[in-house]
Amino acid sequence: MPGVRKLIVLSAFNLDGDGVLMPAFEPRIMKREETAVYVAETMVNDYAGVIVWSKESNVAIGENGPSIILFQSGRVPEFD
């Protein structure tokens, strides 16, 4: 669809010394859902939590769709 863009993001988290979730690295923008999920699956043993989410936006009219979780494992922050 013209004007519609999809954002796909991969994030991972570790626990600090007090058990608080902290980002393990800056969120990574991914090009394909399949690739993002595959990479996330390879990371589950290395981090306290891993998540891949996507969101579509229609740039022409300035609307954002809902965030959709494509993959989630372990502990991740609350997500909306």
Side-chain angles (χ1 to χ4, degrees), residues 6-75:
K6 182 179 255 184
L7 175 67
I8 303 164
V9 180
L10 165 67
S11 296
F13 302 89
N14 283 321
L15 298 173
D16 70 8
D18 296 321
V20 177
L21 281 173
M22 302 296 291
F25 49 78
E26 290 293 319
R28 296 179 184 166
I29 306 301
M30 306 295 285
K31 291 185 180 184
R32 297 188 53 208
E33 290 180 359
E34 297 84 3
T35 302
V37 170
Y38 174 79
V39 171
E41 288 172 338
T42 68
M43 300 169 78
V44 298
N45 293 321
D46 298 323
Y47 298 96
V50 180
I51 189 167
V52 176
W53 59 273
S54 70
K55 179 183 280 194
E56 287 187 354
S57 61
N58 188 325
V59 180
I61 60 175
E63 284 188 359
N64 290 318
S67 297
I68 299 169
I69 296 174
L70 304 173
F71 177 84
Q72 180 177 338
S73 178
R75 293 182 55 189

